[in-house]
Amino acid sequence: MSQRGKKYLLIPSVPTPNGGLHLGHIGGPYLAADVLARYLRMRGAEALVMSGTDSYESYVTLQAAKEMRPPDSVCHAYHERIVNDLEVMQISMDEFVNPLSLRWNAVYSGWHYRILQQLQDAGSILRVNENMPWDPVRKMYLAGCWLQGKCPQCALEVTGYFCENCGAHFRPEELSHDSGLLHREVTNLFLRLQDICRLSETGIQPEIESSYRQYLNRQQGMLRLTANNPWGLYHDDESTLFNYGFIFAYFLMLGEIASQRLHANENAFSADSSIITIACFGIDNAIPFLASVLGITNACAEFKPFDYYLANHFYLLEGRKFSTSRRHAIWVKDFSGSEKLITDCVRYYLSSINVRENQGDFIMSEFKACCLRMMDCVQRLVIPALQQIADVPITAIGADMMEEMESALARQEQAMRPVRYLPQTATDQVEVWIQSGEGHAKADGNAFWWLKGLCLLVYPMMPHLGQEMWFALGYDGAPDSLELSRLPERRVRPLEMRIVSIQDISLDRWTREVMCHAG
Ligand SMILES: [Zn+2]
């Protein structure tokens, strides 16, 4: 089905500017948004991807304390680092906001205060007295990442208001401490949530929907809007706006920017907007995302929630969680300066791991085998086929070839539906197509069309290879799969791409390092 005339806004989660990104971060929300957006554009849609850093996440202050510099300087530095990391992985952003920048500062806070006012006017805000742990030495409340104790649900050590172990969300006073802490009574604002939420046909997994309902029950349908963290947008002398509670205010700002870029008359989240909105996030962000989006749109009828939610489970690395503190990770910056075919392979391999239904595992030997398979395909099939057809006129596509191509692209379409996004079935399709190349790539009449099919199938996951093949086949612009039988504007030319040998990849070094930390 053609996507012509349709407009999309994809928003992957907003990263905390307190460090660089590793492949576990990239493989989840960012890669999903980029792959899906490229696919939709290939089908004729206008699709924008927008996000930004989450400056007022409390972990920024922890990093600031470690580096002994002010939080805003930490934010600016890691914002730049994250921008670079996204570029290295060819995750293209139509806007990536730094909320502390001169350009966006006022717009960002404007949306927050506007939504706070609207929630107040709608009578959706509760004032709640709570006992906040207070550190008399440092003269600060222990909020966000400074709050530590035992989870009220599973009794494991936790930091903040969320337990990574059991998924519980709780209020600060519910934490238990071995050593008694001083408390002070404070008043905070909470948003009253409705228990009616229509999430069917939005792509959300049933297990996430049920944990959201559990959260509503346990928290009596309340979402925190202010916290006693000194780092944040000012609310009163003791509290600031809570970044997670207001995450949808941030998205509304992106919705406004998107509507201008798409020449639409209203915000992408306006109740009657025709722009299709897609949120991409890790499962750890699912509860706050859903609560803020559904809570605010429920209270402010002029806005609609996202049309689709793409949540991913975590990636493991060789069977264990990616971990910054244990140095068990592969960092994006290690790929800067490496050949684009390698970052293409990283994206392709990450896409082939199913993190939609369960956690997935990044295995070094599998990744290496994947790189070898792709390089072999380019060297043994793609390059010779391009040479072979360079000087002969291209014949129109035959009926059999057309049928094969249409059915492969239909399976790709099946994999790229926002309501059930399963990129690993798209990579499976690439593997099948490569197999068929053993015959087609060498047959005069079919070589061109086999190459075109490969180009269209790999492009969302491997944008560099896909784009270069598109140009080599004689087409202009970005790959599109709207009229399969369309002949190119120009003559076929060789692939303009440096083909690396496997020795050029520092795979063995990473394998050694990862294994060493794993052991
Ligand atoms: Zn727990």
Side-chain angles (χ1 to χ4, degrees):
M1 199 180 63
S2 159
Q3 294 279 342
R4 264 197 190 118
K6 291 196 182 171
K7 296 175 177 187
Y8 287 85
L9 170 61
L10 296 98
I11 302 184
S13 49
V14 290
T16 304
N18 67 339
L21 301 178
H22 56 58
L23 294 191
H25 296 130
I26 285 288
Y30 309 104
L31 187 57
D34 188 76
V35 166
L36 194 51
R38 285 177 195 275
Y39 172 76
L40 292 166
R41 284 180 214 127
M42 206 166 80
R43 303 295 300 135
E46 280 182 89
L48 300 181
V49 182
M50 294 187 180
S51 182
T53 40
D54 191 9
S55 314
Y56 294 118
E57 160 61 47
S58 73
Y59 275 89
V60 164
T61 58
L62 197 64
Q63 193 65 24
K66 262 188 219 160
E67 297 183 14
M68 294 190 290
R69 56 171 164 162
D72 57 342
S73 116
V74 167
C75 288
H76 290 303
Y78 288 109
H79 180 89
E80 286 314 307
R81 163 89 186 264
I82 291 168
V83 166
N84 282 333
D85 286 349
L86 292 170
E87 267 174 32
V88 167
M89 281 297 146
Q90 301 174 76
I91 309 285
S92 93
M93 291 277 176
D94 295 281
E95 190 61 65
F96 192 72
V97 169
N98 177 354
L100 301 185
S101 64
L102 276 176
R103 177 160 187 213
W104 295 119
N105 201 342
V107 187
Y108 176 85
S109 58
W111 271 101
H112 281 67
Y113 293 123
R114 171 179 162 184
I115 292 304
L116 176 63
Q117 188 61 51
Q118 276 185 250
L119 294 175
Q120 255 151 2
D121 295 346
S124 304
I125 288 184
L126 295 164
R127 298 174 65 83
V128 176
N129 293 334
E130 45 182 2
N131 289 310
M132 275 301 293
W134 168 258
D135 182 338
V137 180
R138 284 180 290 181
K139 296 207 173 7
M140 62 183 267
Y141 290 104
L142 300 175
C145 65
W146 301 95
L147 179 68
Q148 286 170 338
K150 290 201 170 66
C151 170
Q153 192 167 293
C154 73
L156 284 183
E157 289 292 331
V158 288
T159 301
Y161 317 104
F162 166 69
C163 174
E164 276 195 26
N165 177 56
C166 72
H169 286 254
F170 37 79
R171 303 246 303 281
E173 62 208 38
E174 294 179 77
L175 278 187
S176 62
H177 301 265
D178 291 336
S179 56
L181 280 177
L182 286 179
H183 285 83
R184 280 192 175 184
E185 196 182 60
V186 291
T187 304
N188 275 307
L189 303 187
F190 285 76
L191 172 63
R192 209 193 304 263
L193 299 170
Q194 308 290 323
D195 54 359
I196 317 140
C197 48
R198 280 169 291 272
L199 285 169
S200 61
E201 296 304 305
T202 60
I204 202 83
Q205 294 91 327
E207 70 271 20
I208 297 180
E209 186 173 346
S210 74
S211 69
Y212 179 63
R213 289 185 195 283
Q214 260 174 35
Y215 160 83
L216 288 179
N217 261 328
R218 281 183 51 89
Q219 293 302 313
Q220 288 93 42
M222 295 197 308
L223 173 68
R224 175 179 297 280
L225 290 178
T226 62
N228 307 94
N229 197 329
W231 176 241
L233 290 176
Y234 180 87
H235 175 244
D236 62 25
D237 287 346
E238 299 230 88
S239 66
T240 52
L241 301 187
F242 184 49
N243 60 322
Y244 284 112
F246 280 94
I247 194 80
F248 191 59
Y250 199 164
F251 298 159
L252 284 169
M253 167 189 173
L254 299 176
E256 195 69 25
I257 303 170
S259 80
Q260 288 155 13
R261 304 275 168 88
L262 292 168
H263 307 290
N265 295 323
E266 68 243 309
N267 193 299
F269 293 100
S270 287
D272 47 6
S273 165
S274 60
I275 299 171
I276 301 164
T277 52
I278 304 177
C280 306
F281 49 87
I283 192 161
D284 54 331
N285 278 323
I287 302 288
F289 257 56
L290 290 173
S292 179
V293 172
L294 298 173
I296 292 175
T297 51
N298 227 312
C300 311
E302 65 180 287
F303 300 121
K304 61 165 187 170
F306 281 94
D307 295 300
Y308 298 102
Y309 303 89
L310 269 56
N312 63 275
H313 292 261
F314 291 121
Y315 282 89
L316 303 174
L317 174 57
E318 296 284 347
R320 290 172 47 212
K321 268 182 91 165
F322 274 81
S323 158
T324 309
S325 52
R326 289 193 308 273
R327 292 169 60 215
H328 183 68
I330 303 175
W331 296 95
V332 172
K333 82 167 164 34
D334 291 338
F335 290 93
S336 66
S338 69
E339 291 305 321
K340 291 218 171 79
L341 190 54
I342 301 298
T343 49
D344 266 0
C345 286
V346 175
R347 291 171 54 113
Y348 181 83
Y349 178 61
L350 285 168
S351 300
S352 76
I353 301 172
N354 184 356
V355 288
R356 300 290 141 190
E357 288 156 328
N358 220 319
Q359 55 188 17
D361 202 355
F362 190 106
I363 310 276
M364 287 307 239
S365 57
E366 279 183 9
F367 172 54
K368 193 169 176 172
C370 173
C371 290
L372 287 171
R373 218 162 50 243
M374 283 301 163
M375 307 222 180
D376 175 70
C377 165
V378 172
Q379 279 173 314
R380 214 169 43 77
L381 299 174
V382 175
I383 292 174
L386 281 167
Q387 273 163 0
Q388 175 194 324
I389 60 174
D391 299 315
V392 285
I394 298 156
T395 49
I397 188 166
D400 288 354
M401 196 62 199
M402 187 66 175
E403 205 183 306
E404 269 187 60
M405 206 144 120
E406 277 175 343
S407 84
L409 289 167
R411 281 191 287 270
Q412 182 192 42
E413 179 175 28
Q414 194 69 9
M416 296 288 156
R417 291 177 307 156
V419 73
R420 194 162 157 73
Y421 175 69
L422 289 170
Q424 69 278 10
T425 56
T427 58
D428 287 348
Q429 203 47 49
V430 172
E431 302 287 336
V432 172
W433 195 259
I434 290 175
Q435 287 298 315
S436 78
E438 301 294 341
H440 290 326
K442 288 154 195 154
D444 281 345
N446 285 343
F448 176 88
W449 301 105
W450 178 80
L451 288 165
K452 184 169 181 178
L454 181 64
C455 162
L456 298 174
L457 289 170
V458 296
Y459 174 70
M461 284 84 72
M462 304 181 78
H464 186 65
L465 178 62
Q467 184 68 66
E468 288 306 321
M469 283 182 72
W470 186 250
F471 289 148
L473 288 170
Y475 293 104
D476 293 325
D480 79 70
S481 56
L482 292 170
E483 294 162 65
L484 292 181
S485 58
R486 183 168 70 89
L487 290 166
E489 293 84 17
R490 292 177 287 99
R491 290 168 63 92
V492 171
R493 61 163 172 73
L495 197 64
E496 279 182 15
M497 216 172 160
R498 209 174 86 82
I499 304 304
V500 284
S501 73
I502 195 75
Q503 284 78 24
D504 293 349
I505 320 172
S506 30
L507 268 184
D508 293 326
R509 178 173 62 85
W510 295 327
T511 312
R512 267 199 312 279
E513 282 178 11
V514 167
M515 289 313 181
C516 157
H517 295 306

